[in-house]
Amino acid sequence: MEKKVVVAVVCVAAVAGAVAAAAVMKRKMKRDKRWAKAMEIVKEMEEKCGTPIGKLKQVADAMVVEMHAGLASEGGSKLKMLISYVDNLPTGIVLCVGSWWNKLSCIEGAVGGKDVGLVNQEFTEVSIPPNLMIGTSDALFDYIAAELAKFVAQEGQEFELPPGKHRELGFTFSFPVMQTSIASGTLVRWTKGFSIDDAVGEDVVAELTRAMKRQGLDMRVSALVNDTVGTLAGGKYSNKDVAAAVILGTGSNAAYVESAPAIPKWHGDLPKSGEMVINMEWGNFKSSHLPLTEYDHAMDDESLNPGEQIFEKLISGMYLGEIVRRVLLKMAEEAAFFGDIVPPKLKTPFILRTPDMSAMHHDASSDLILVEKKLKDVLEISNTSLQTRKVVVELCNIVATRGSRLAAAGILGILKKIGRDIVKDGDEQRTVIAMDGGLYEHYSEYSKCLENTLNELLGEEVSKTIMIEHANDGSGIGAALLAASHSLYL
């Protein structure tokens, strides 16, 4: 009897062990299946984001075609190719107010000679409250005027004007404007998350002028300048070889110097210089050659401007982190990438900002401790494995690489349009591209990839003649210079 009991106990123990082993095996198989699904999503993303040299050259060629169409007639292309009315750059004492994405900057300075530039500068920057980005025109421009009044009230004695003179202002406005003169222009549409319906179609200089009067400010806007045009003007003031400017920040745009006879839609007298700065508004470029994914389409559909600014949504700082978030969300939902429960924060649009993405991408620690911290602090995702964190970094790399290589293709398009993509016999012309924007300045993996890709596209011989220079706050300085060049007191 005792022998039977022992046998029974042994049998039960063996069965229990087998059940436990089977459960462990089942869990492992489930994990492996989930991981395989997650890797499938990453691999598909990498393939869809592919930017081989052949595709990039197709993008550049498509850009050139759209540039020609936009210069030929208004509405002839997705590229607005806006005429800037920019001409000379003399000296004076000027003030510049600049409105960018969610920032408002004020710069004041005396403009010296050619070798001096902007001297005795004073500068301040404040954030534009989010509610004003979707409010009314009066509310936004009243805020700009009020901040401008505060800035002027604190200026130094060296900026006091002689009796009888009005203060002049360069107004940097980083949204598409159809200019009718150097100091007037109507807003075409909002970008970068702004949506103020009653401002569209209105003259933004008139709006600011009325707001300044309401604040008791006696000022005259002498130059309305797109931020990219300002960057080009500031760059060319100090370096005659600057032929184009590109902004890569929250949004993206490009401007370049075009031969005036190559602008069929220009109906006025040709400028004496024979040249005209063109504000491309390249963020709105669209082509079948652009490598779009399901995440890009979904983000565009849910945006404030669906179907618009497609190129900008692929390459600029406002959107890169959001694309990564959308891929991670799919991995969490379909592959339980972060566990059985989908992290609630991961469902919040735009919660993962591009600076956070950049920080994770640049994490050089062996255990990716910064990636772990960002996932915990931003998305409230804890206890991630090193393997998981490596995949997150790989996703950042895929999205940043696509964006930077497409930006390089856009620059190639500009160089092709102005004939600087080849070296002619006996021609020692240098071409400088002035670059500005936080994305280019702070996301070093992005900027290095852009420059390497441009060199690859141009080839060794041509790339020696093309230089990229960082123009820090070039747009504000350029706007100040242009304000001085159109002063009433010259």
Side-chain angles (χ1 to χ4, degrees):
M1 185 67 179
E2 288 181 3
K3 189 180 291 186
K4 291 179 180 179
V5 171
V6 171
V7 170
V9 170
V10 171
C11 287
V12 169
V15 171
V19 170
V24 170
M25 182 62 70
K26 187 176 180 180
R27 284 197 297 272
K28 184 179 184 304
M29 289 175 64
K30 188 176 181 180
R31 282 198 303 271
D32 289 348
K33 186 177 180 181
R34 286 174 170 179
W35 186 260
K37 175 62 178 175
M39 294 306 97
E40 180 186 317
I41 292 171
V42 174
K43 187 173 186 298
E44 181 184 20
M45 179 66 176
E46 184 175 27
E47 290 173 352
K48 290 287 180 67
C49 288
T51 49
I53 288 298
K55 179 178 279 291
L56 293 178
K57 288 184 176 180
Q58 289 177 321
V59 169
D61 289 341
M63 180 77 79
V64 174
V65 170
E66 291 298 314
M67 290 172 75
H68 278 287
L71 290 172
S73 63
E74 298 298 350
S77 166
K78 293 291 282 186
L79 294 179
K80 291 293 183 183
M81 304 299 286
L82 301 171
I83 294 168
S84 67
Y85 293 85
V86 167
D87 43 33
N88 57 329
L89 294 168
T91 62
I93 296 180
V94 291
L95 178 64
C96 169
V97 59
S99 175
W100 293 269
W101 179 52
N102 63 344
K103 296 290 184 184
L104 177 69
S105 298
C106 296
I107 300 173
E108 186 169 35
V111 184
K114 181 69 177 177
D115 298 324
V116 180
L118 201 61
V119 295
N120 296 329
Q121 294 182 48
E122 288 188 359
F123 173 83
T124 191
E125 182 176 86
V126 294
S127 295
I128 295 177
N131 63 297
L132 295 183
M133 295 167 63
I134 55 173
T136 65
S137 180
D138 281 354
L140 175 64
F141 284 98
D142 280 346
Y143 177 80
I144 294 173
E147 291 299 325
L148 187 56
K150 291 179 188 176
F151 179 72
V152 172
Q154 298 169 2
E155 68 183 0
Q157 289 184 344
E158 65 271 28
F159 294 116
E160 290 183 6
L161 292 176
K165 280 195 174 184
H166 297 276
R167 192 175 301 278
E168 299 189 293
L169 181 68
F171 183 24
T172 305
F173 196 69
S174 62
F175 303 93
V177 168
M178 183 67 69
Q179 287 198 230
T180 50
S181 72
I182 189 63
S184 62
T186 57
L187 176 63
V188 177
R189 65 175 177 274
W190 291 104
T191 57
K192 309 178 187 75
F194 277 73
S195 182
I196 305 172
D197 292 341
D198 65 339
V200 176
E202 298 297 324
D203 185 335
V204 294
V205 172
E207 293 289 312
L208 179 59
T209 300
R210 284 192 288 269
M212 290 191 296
K213 285 184 178 179
R214 289 194 290 269
Q215 289 291 329
L217 287 172
D218 186 16
M219 293 188 188
R220 168 185 173 267
V221 176
S222 59
L224 171 64
V225 185
N226 176 270
D227 57 341
T228 318
V229 173
T231 298
L232 177 55
K236 200 164 182 66
Y237 182 78
S238 57
N239 187 335
K240 65 180 178 58
D241 293 327
V242 170
V246 175
I247 299 286
L248 284 166
T250 303
S252 183
N253 192 16
Y256 73 103
V257 180
E258 180 61 273
S259 168
I263 313 173
K265 68 180 180 181
W266 173 259
H267 300 302
D269 294 334
L270 291 179
K272 293 179 181 179
S273 66
E275 297 177 330
M276 177 66 72
V277 173
I278 297 295
N279 167 21
M280 291 178 62
E281 289 298 335
W282 86 350
N284 205 40
F285 171 65
K286 189 175 182 179
S287 166
S288 60
H289 299 299
L290 293 175
L292 295 166
T293 69
E294 63 182 90
Y295 311 100
D296 301 302
H297 289 299
M299 182 177 70
D300 177 51
D301 289 343
E302 297 167 22
S303 69
L304 291 171
N305 53 348
E308 302 292 333
Q309 303 298 111
I310 299 300
F311 194 53
E312 182 174 76
K313 289 170 182 172
L314 290 172
I315 70 173
S316 76
M318 182 171 180
Y319 303 100
L320 299 182
E322 171 63 6
I323 296 167
V324 172
R325 181 198 70 83
R326 286 174 178 270
V327 182
L328 290 175
L329 178 60
K330 181 174 181 177
M331 293 166 68
E333 291 176 338
E334 298 186 11
F337 189 62
F338 296 112
D340 292 330
I341 300 174
V342 176
K345 288 280 186 180
L346 194 55
K347 298 178 181 179
T348 305
F350 291 94
I351 192 171
L352 184 65
R353 298 163 55 249
T354 299
D356 300 320
M357 169 189 169
S358 172
M360 293 191 292
H361 195 176
H362 291 125
D363 189 352
S365 62
S366 59
D367 55 356
L368 298 177
I369 190 66
L370 186 54
V371 177
E372 182 178 38
K373 186 176 188 304
K374 285 294 180 183
L375 291 173
K376 184 178 180 181
D377 293 349
V378 178
L379 300 173
E380 297 181 358
I381 300 173
S382 303
N383 304 318
T384 54
S385 67
L386 179 58
Q387 190 179 31
T388 297
R389 297 195 290 275
K390 285 181 177 179
V391 173
V392 172
V393 173
E394 177 58 22
L395 265 180
C396 294
N397 183 63
I398 290 170
V399 174
T401 297
R402 179 186 65 170
S404 59
R405 286 174 68 82
L406 287 174
I411 294 173
L412 175 63
I414 297 173
L415 294 173
K416 287 171 77 73
K417 175 66 179 70
I418 60 177
R420 303 291 181 89
D421 62 318
I422 56 174
V423 176
K424 300 171 185 173
D425 292 339
D427 186 3
E428 298 182 2
Q429 175 72 55
R430 283 176 76 251
T431 302
V432 177
I433 311 293
M435 302 284 293
D436 199 9
L439 180 65
Y440 177 81
E441 182 179 0
H442 300 299
Y443 201 151
S444 60
E445 287 293 333
Y446 184 104
S447 52
K448 282 190 299 183
C449 182
L450 183 155
E451 291 168 14
N452 291 338
T453 302
L454 185 59
N455 289 338
E456 188 180 359
L457 286 165
L458 291 168
E460 185 176 356
E461 185 182 13
V462 179
S463 62
K464 290 177 182 177
T465 69
I466 308 297
M467 305 291 293
I468 290 180
E469 290 186 357
H470 179 220
N472 191 27
D473 193 38
S475 58
I477 293 171
L481 293 168
L482 290 171
S485 73
H486 292 85
S487 170
L488 285 174
Y489 308 110
L490 284 177

